[in-house]
């Protein structure tokens, strides 16, 4: 279904993992894609080729979303190239795990910069062009960790919980402009991020997940695609869990 034909989507961290799956799902619905990434050019180019094979326009944009200047330049370039941004998926995120007493201020600030302040600042800049359009979709990729916490991830949990609060607040502020703001909260998904998790811990995740396995990026992407489509027009400020039943809230 080409429900997003003529729409332009910016996906942060759209070059691999969950972000790549989101980019591909939006392209399948007909959207043109601006793929943001941090520095892995090859993976970003590979993703753009996969997107173009689906018959949409796609280009890659390197920018550290924690850096305001890089964000502004990226968004200006996307608008110069595509004309407008109708859909923003704030997906890029990092982990720097340590128990809180061992956590350094450096990794605390690093994770807050990329996972919380970065998405807020990207959204702030994108909204300037999106509000006059009278239609828009903003989706934040949060995490089950922002809902229930996780040992060794206080910095990460704060950012993901913060994104949920931000989603609900921004949804109220821009609803009358035709823009919906929602979040998707994945559980444990098979990507490069979770490949670093020890097998014993993953076994525990499987044991605590009613569906009994980790999720796939494509399963997260489907929820995002729905929230970006015209079919979700009366849903805003909502969090959709994609976690195999690990947390039902
Ligand atoms: P991933 O495989 O590690 O991919 C991360 C993506 O983000 C890459 O495209 C990377 O670009 C980009 N990125 C990293 N830092 C960036 C920065 N400072 N500026 C711009 N782009 C940056 O991650 P993932 O597992 O797909 O996770 C995607 C999102 O889902 C994250 O927000 C994560 O917290 C969330 N999430 C993941 C899981 C899970 O189990 N995997 C569960 C819940 C939530 P480069 O390739 O250039 O480095």
């Amino acid at each position: 279904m080409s429900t997003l034909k003529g729409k332009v989507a910016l996906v942060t961290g759209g070059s691999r993992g969950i972000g790549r799956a989101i980019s591909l799902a939006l392209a399948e619905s007909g959207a043109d894609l601006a793929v943001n990434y941090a520095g892995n050019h090859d993976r970003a180019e590979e993703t753009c080729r996969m997107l173009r094979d689906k018959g949409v326009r796609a280009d890659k944009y390197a920018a550290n979303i924690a850096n305001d200047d890089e964000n502004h330049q990226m968004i200006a370039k996307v608008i110069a190239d595509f004309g407008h941004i109708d859909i923003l998926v704030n997906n890029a995120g990092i982990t720097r795990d340590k128990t809180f007493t061992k956590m350094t201020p450096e990794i605390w600030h690093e994770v807050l910069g990329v996972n919380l302040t970065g998405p807020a600042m990207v959204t702030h800049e994108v909204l300037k062009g999106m509000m006059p359009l009278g239609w828009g979709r903003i989706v934040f990729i949060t995490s089950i960790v922002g809902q229930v916490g996780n040992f060794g991830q206080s910095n990460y949990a704060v950012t993901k919980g913060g994104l949920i609060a931000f989603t609900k607040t921004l949804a109220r502020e821009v609803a009358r402009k035709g823009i919906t703001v929602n979040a998707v909260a994945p559980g444990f998904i098979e990507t490069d991020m979770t490949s670093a998790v020890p097998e014993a811990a993953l076994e525990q995740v499987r044991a605590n997940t009613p569906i009994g396995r980790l999720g796939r990026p494509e399963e997260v992407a489907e929820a995002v695609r729905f929230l970006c489509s015209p079919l979700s027009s009366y849903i805003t400020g909502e969090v959709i869990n994609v976690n195999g039943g690990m947390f039902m809230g």
Side-chain angles (χ1 to χ4, degrees):
M1 269 208 303
S2 300
T3 52
L4 296 178
K5 203 162 175 47
K7 304 289 187 200
V8 177
L10 168 61
V11 180
T12 69
S15 60
R16 58 187 168 91
I18 293 170
R20 172 184 280 184
I22 292 168
S23 298
L24 289 168
L26 296 178
E28 272 160 21
S29 289
D32 293 322
L33 261 300
V35 175
N36 159 255
Y37 66 106
N40 193 332
H41 306 290
D42 292 346
R43 297 294 290 274
E45 190 47 46
E46 187 181 60
T47 301
C48 286
R49 275 200 302 272
M50 294 165 81
L51 292 165
R52 289 182 204 119
D53 283 348
K54 293 191 179 292
V56 301
R57 278 187 68 191
D59 228 327
K60 61 183 195 301
Y61 298 84
N64 172 8
I65 57 157
N67 181 304
D68 288 348
D69 290 340
E70 292 186 29
N71 278 339
H72 289 191
Q73 282 170 24
M74 167 180 72
I75 292 159
K77 182 88 172 62
V78 173
I79 291 174
D81 292 347
F82 288 89
H84 47 97
I85 299 171
D86 310 280
I87 296 166
L88 169 64
V89 182
N90 285 291
N91 162 80
I94 57 169
T95 52
R96 298 287 184 266
D97 299 349
K98 288 254 185 261
T99 54
F100 187 62
T101 51
K102 294 197 178 122
M103 189 163 289
T104 62
E106 285 74 20
I107 63 172
W108 176 270
H109 290 300
E110 185 183 0
V111 171
L112 263 74
V114 176
N115 292 11
L116 184 59
T117 308
M121 292 303 108
V122 170
T123 303
H124 191 263
E125 192 64 15
V126 166
L127 273 172
K128 289 179 189 166
M130 189 182 275
M131 302 250 275
L133 299 176
W135 191 95
R137 295 282 185 268
I138 298 174
V139 178
F140 292 95
I141 306 303
T142 171
S143 168
I144 190 172
V145 173
Q147 298 167 310
V148 302
N150 198 23
F151 189 95
Q153 290 201 305
S154 56
N155 50 358
Y156 185 80
V158 159
T159 64
K160 296 302 187 179
L163 286 182
I164 293 173
F166 184 48
T167 295
K168 295 180 180 192
T169 301
L170 189 61
R172 292 177 190 277
E173 293 186 7
V174 298
R176 299 289 172 100
K177 302 286 178 192
I179 300 170
T180 66
V181 186
N182 291 289
V184 170
F188 288 78
I189 310 297
E190 286 168 352
T191 68
D192 294 343
M193 188 179 267
T194 41
S195 65
V197 178
E199 183 48 37
L202 291 179
E203 208 33 65
Q204 229 176 351
V205 168
R206 289 185 199 101
N208 291 328
T209 304
I211 288 182
R213 62 169 174 82
L214 270 64
R216 293 185 288 271
E218 296 72 23
E219 293 173 315
V220 179
E222 278 308 321
V224 177
R225 171 162 48 184
F226 170 63
L227 290 173
C228 291
S229 82
L231 303 172
S232 64
S233 48
Y234 205 53
I235 300 176
T236 199
E238 191 53 63
V239 183
I240 296 187
N241 296 326
V242 183
N243 63 22
M246 199 179 195
F247 168 73
M248 303 174 188

